[in-house]
Amino acid sequence: NSESKISSFITIQEGCDKFCNFCVVPYTRGPEYSRSPEEIIKETKDLISNGAKEIILLGQNVNSYSSFNNKRKNFKLSDLILELESLKELKRIRYTTSHPKDMSEDLIECHSKVKKLMPFLHLPVQSGSNKILKSMNRKHTREEYLSIIKNLKKVKPNINFSSDFIVGYPGETEKDFNDTLSLVKEVNFINSYSFIYNSRPGTPASNLEEVDEELQKKRLITLQNLLENIQLKENKNQVGKLNGVLIENKMKNQSKYFGRTSNLTPVVIT
C-alpha cells in the first residue's frame, strides 16, 4: 500500500473459538489463527516507512493472539505491543476487538508500561445481566467484567472505554435491561455501539423465543440516549483543555484537518 496512511490497521488474528450463542463468526471465519510476529513486525515497519504514525492491531478476537516466533518463543499480544513500542517513528499503538475472557494480567500490565499504547480500549460486554450473559455463552460475568475495568483503571487512571451492546436478546426482562443501564453508568463508556438483537440462522440463539420488537426498539432508544449523554458530557469536559491530536488528513475541499485524540474522539481543526 503506497498510499500514505497516518493511522493504519494490521490484521494479526482471525477467527474465533468463543462460540457466543448469537454469533456466526466461529462458523463463517473458522477457528482462531494468529500470524507470526516476524510478519507483523515487518508489515509495521513497511507502513511506518510509508508515513504511518499509529498502528491498530486488528483481530476478530485480537487479545487471544498467540504465535511462535522463529526462535520458538511464544508471543502473546503483550509481547507484540512491547516489540512495536521500540520502533522509533511509531507514535501510537491500539488494538481491537478484545474479548473480556482474554484480558490477561500481562496485557493489563502493558497499559501501565507502554507509553505508546493509547489510554482507550474497546471491550464489548453485550449485556450487564448475568442471566443474559450466560444465555449468550459469553463466558464472563458482570462482576468479572467490572473487575477487568477496575484493574485497568488501577494501572492507567486516565483510561477510557467503549463497548458493544445487544438489546432485547431472547429472554431479556426489564430487570436484565436495567442491569445493562446500571453497568453503563458504572463504567461511563465514552463511545459505544448498540444494536437490537437480530437472529442469525444456524446460531443456538435463533431457536429462542424473541422479545417483542416494539419493546426492543424502546429499550434501544433508552440505552442510546444514556450512552449519548455520557459521550456529550465527556466531550464538554474536554472544552478548554489541552489534548494531543494525531492529524490523519486534510479534509476534502476545506482548509480544515481531521485527527483523533488519544481516546479516539474525532477532532476537526482549522
Side-chain angles (χ1 to χ4, degrees):
N1 185 1
S2 60
E3 192 193 341
S4 162
K5 277 264 198 248
I6 302 295
S7 178
S8 292
F9 290 98
I10 291 185
T11 299
I12 66 165
Q13 181 276 343
E14 289 184 53
C16 184
D17 297 341
K18 296 294 181 284
F19 289 94
C20 297
N21 285 337
F22 53 80
C23 183
V24 291
V25 168
Y27 309 99
T28 54
R29 303 284 171 89
E32 288 173 3
Y33 160 79
S34 296
R35 293 173 66 199
S36 78
E38 284 85 5
E39 240 180 288
I40 295 162
I41 290 155
K42 183 190 176 302
E43 193 178 334
T44 304
K45 287 176 175 168
D46 289 348
L47 287 165
I48 291 170
S49 66
N50 268 325
K53 299 283 181 219
E54 172 177 85
I55 290 296
I56 304 164
L57 302 171
L58 207 57
Q60 257 119 27
N61 213 1
V62 73
N63 55 343
S64 70
Y65 175 84
S66 177
S67 180
F68 288 94
N69 71 357
N70 52 20
K71 297 189 178 70
R72 302 303 296 157
K73 176 189 175 328
N74 186 13
F75 257 61
K76 292 192 289 208
L77 181 57
S78 54
D79 301 307
L80 200 54
I81 289 169
L82 289 166
E83 199 76 23
L84 295 186
E85 190 196 18
S86 63
L87 302 175
K88 216 166 123 262
E89 299 299 305
L90 189 62
K91 299 286 182 248
R92 289 179 167 188
I93 302 168
R94 303 182 189 274
Y95 59 92
T96 195
T97 287
S98 296
H99 191 288
K101 200 83 195 118
D102 295 311
M103 280 311 297
S104 52
E105 272 175 41
D106 51 287
L107 185 54
I108 290 174
E109 204 45 49
C110 254
H111 283 271
S112 122
K113 288 193 296 215
V114 180
K115 291 275 175 283
K116 292 179 182 180
L117 186 57
M118 290 295 100
F120 178 80
L121 180 64
H122 181 61
L123 191 61
V125 66
Q126 307 300 359
S127 170
S129 152
N130 279 335
K131 184 191 97 186
I132 296 296
L133 288 170
K134 193 173 178 190
S135 173
M136 287 176 166
N137 192 30
R138 282 293 286 168
K139 301 185 173 67
H140 65 83
T141 62
R142 173 195 179 100
E143 291 71 26
E144 285 164 344
Y145 184 87
L146 286 170
S147 148
I148 293 164
I149 299 283
K150 196 172 123 217
N151 291 337
L152 280 158
K153 282 184 167 170
K154 207 183 288 172
V155 301
K156 193 81 181 168
N158 66 332
I159 194 168
N160 279 301
F161 302 94
S162 69
S163 189
D164 294 342
F165 297 94
I166 293 173
V167 175
Y169 189 78
E172 184 186 72
T173 62
E174 208 55 40
K175 183 196 175 298
D176 297 321
F177 178 62
N178 286 333
D179 284 350
T180 296
L181 296 179
S182 74
L183 180 91
V184 168
K185 288 172 187 159
E186 197 168 331
V187 178
N188 254 336
F189 297 99
I190 63 161
N191 191 349
S192 288
Y193 305 93
S194 46
F195 314 91
I196 285 175
Y197 168 73
N198 194 344
S199 175
R200 296 277 185 262
T203 57
S206 63
N207 303 319
L208 302 173
E209 195 180 328
E210 297 193 16
V211 172
D212 173 72
E213 203 180 326
E214 285 312 304
L215 191 55
Q216 284 185 324
K217 286 180 187 163
K218 204 173 123 235
R219 285 179 186 168
L220 183 69
I221 291 167
T222 305
L223 175 64
Q224 288 183 341
N225 285 342
L226 174 62
L227 291 168
E228 245 165 68
N229 287 340
I230 293 172
Q231 197 173 357
L232 198 61
K233 205 166 139 194
E234 172 58 28
N235 286 350
K236 282 182 174 161
N237 256 340
Q238 296 305 316
V239 174
K241 289 191 181 149
L242 200 59
N243 246 317
V245 173
L246 178 65
I247 304 293
E248 293 181 25
N249 52 21
K250 189 170 188 282
M251 293 173 78
K252 275 200 182 106
N253 315 323
Q254 295 181 53
S255 57
K256 289 177 178 157
Y257 291 88
F258 175 85
R260 290 178 189 275
T261 65
S262 62
N263 61 21
L264 220 53
T265 307
V267 179
V268 175
I269 297 165
T270 309

